[in-house]
Amino acid sequence: MSGAWQDAAALDSAAEAAGHGAADADTTGRLAPATVEALAAAGFPAGFAPAGQGGTGATFDEVTRAVAAIGEGCTSAAWIASLWAYNGRFSAHLPDEGQQEVWAKGPRTRLVSSMVAAGVEAEPVEGGWTLSGTWLYVSGVEFADWALVSSAPPREGDRSIRVFAVPRDSFTHQETWSTLGMRATGSHTLVVERAFVPEYRSFVWDDMRRGKLPGTGSAVHSAPLFAVNGLTFAAPILGAARGALRLVERHLAQQPSGARAAARESSRISYTRAAGEIDAAALLLARAAETADRGRLDEDGVAERSHRDSTLAVELLVGAVDRLFQVTGTRGQATSHPMQRIWRDVHAAGSHAALQFEPAARFAYTRRLVAA
């Protein structure tokens, strides 16, 4: 599997724009319009979109590599790129009429999502529902065209929980995202007030969890959610860790003096260990992506292993960045130095619920063993 992106030049341009605007994005708390447009032009929204709606047929491996390339310059931009792709994958669970409406403006349509529902009312009416409520942590809501939101916090096996597709003119947002890291994801609160959602713009959340489509679909669209959800959030962290590694390479290339000279050997060892940890994490994520691309997630224990691998990879990446942060010392802590931003971003991103190793071990990977 080559992992080559369909438009390498556009991907390079997006990575350059993301890296160039990363410091300002961190300061202002939002991505520059030029970065947003470059990510869309690179094809992230269409990567996993349904084939009949302009989807480009990207694989999990290709998206993981492309997102990581963006993440080397800006973790927040990579987060948005990844979510655009994976939200496009979610849209494949809509009935055909709903897919056509969501993607009517073309393959650069920007989808956001949130299953963190608060105070939602979905009142059944003729032909659909009247929807009201708020949803937390909607990354990219400021420049979204459509939103996919749930009727309640999802519970495994609960067939009553639905996901609704809501257009831009039916929702607003409240600026509630102000964090230590990942500051430019714009993960604000989305608000809907009595919007009509037709039946064809909704699907059962548990079908998405299991990878059950309304019709036939590719391995990408039929993958169970928990088996690939970790890739969504781990790929930006992989890119960020590689960006930190490059910073330390430049740091070590400078000839030290005084106390720094005495610590040089220790720094080289830390750098080497971090490089190995990052490579190991990349291999774990590559296996998870390749397994899903080959449609092997229905084999016994494989989906659970992929979930485990994504969380373990993130633990390795966070540890590697911690190690690299120490190597840069006081210089890396300066507000003008990109290392401290990467360190903040990686810790913030690594705290995502989908990336926690303990639940992956207790409730997924070992559950089948206990059941036996």
Side-chain angles (χ1 to χ4, degrees), residues 9-270:
L11 178 61
D12 288 344
S13 295
E16 182 179 356
H20 180 74
D24 283 344
D26 182 63
T27 300
T28 63
R30 53 176 43 88
L31 297 179
T35 300
V36 174
E37 292 302 324
L39 294 174
F44 285 103
F48 290 155
Q53 310 303 329
T56 57
T59 65
F60 287 111
D61 179 66
E62 290 165 354
V63 169
T64 299
R65 291 172 183 266
V67 168
I70 301 296
E72 290 192 39
C74 179
T75 326
S76 289
W79 191 268
I80 296 300
S82 190
L83 284 169
W84 278 353
Y86 280 86
N87 290 332
R89 191 180 87 90
F90 296 163
S91 76
H93 291 271
L94 289 166
D96 287 343
E97 188 175 358
Q99 292 182 25
Q100 292 169 15
E101 190 169 328
V102 167
W103 293 98
K105 293 182 180 179
R108 293 192 184 183
T109 298
R110 304 161 186 172
L111 271 68
V112 296
S113 69
S114 176
M115 306 298 130
V116 189
V120 177
E121 295 182 2
E123 178 186 353
V125 294
E126 184 176 357
W129 295 266
T130 298
L131 181 68
S132 297
T134 60
W135 291 263
L136 307 179
Y137 311 126
V138 188
S139 300
V141 66
E142 295 169 288
F143 37 80
D145 296 311
W146 285 81
L148 298 172
V149 294
S150 64
S151 57
R155 296 180 294 272
E156 183 176 328
D158 191 332
R159 305 286 299 170
S160 69
I161 298 172
R162 303 192 67 87
V163 177
F164 303 100
V166 183
R168 169 83 264 180
D169 59 7
S170 293
F171 64 82
T172 58
H173 73 274
Q174 299 170 349
E175 295 200 0
T176 53
W177 183 251
S178 180
T179 59
L180 182 67
M182 302 297 286
R183 293 175 53 81
T185 61
S187 303
H188 300 300
T189 298
L190 183 147
V191 181
V192 175
E193 295 183 5
R194 297 198 59 77
F196 173 69
V197 181
E199 188 172 354
Y200 62 80
R201 278 206 262 117
S202 179
F203 59 85
V204 175
W205 178 86
D206 200 59
D207 287 341
M208 184 173 75
R209 178 187 69 84
R210 295 187 297 152
K212 180 182 177 182
L213 293 166
T216 58
S218 67
V220 162
H221 294 116
S222 59
L225 179 62
F226 82 96
V228 297
N229 205 28
L231 291 171
T232 314
F233 308 108
I237 300 174
L238 174 61
R242 286 173 172 165
L245 197 67
R246 301 289 89 80
L247 290 175
V248 169
E249 287 174 358
R250 294 197 290 271
H251 177 82
L252 292 178
Q254 301 172 11
Q255 290 300 318
S257 61
R260 286 186 60 237
R264 185 171 179 79
E265 292 304 310
S266 175
S267 295
R268 290 170 64 181
I269 292 170
S270 294

Side-chain angles (χ1 to χ4, degrees), residues 249-327:
E249 287 174 358
R250 294 197 290 271
H251 177 82
L252 292 178
Q254 301 172 11
Q255 290 300 318
S257 61
R260 286 186 60 237
R264 185 171 179 79
E265 292 304 310
S266 175
S267 295
R268 290 170 64 181
I269 292 170
S270 294
Y271 163 80
T272 303
R273 184 177 296 278
E277 289 169 336
I278 293 168
D279 283 350
L283 289 170
L284 286 171
L285 296 177
R287 180 171 71 170
E290 183 178 5
T291 299
D293 287 330
R294 292 186 175 182
R296 293 181 50 211
L297 292 174
D298 58 350
E299 298 177 16
D300 185 40
V302 171
E304 290 81 3
R305 184 191 71 189
S306 292
H307 184 200
R308 177 206 69 187
D309 284 355
S310 294
T311 62
L312 181 57
V314 168
E315 283 198 353
L316 288 170
L317 293 169
V318 173
V321 171
D322 279 346
R323 211 179 299 280
L324 296 168
F325 187 41
Q326 290 178 351
V327 170

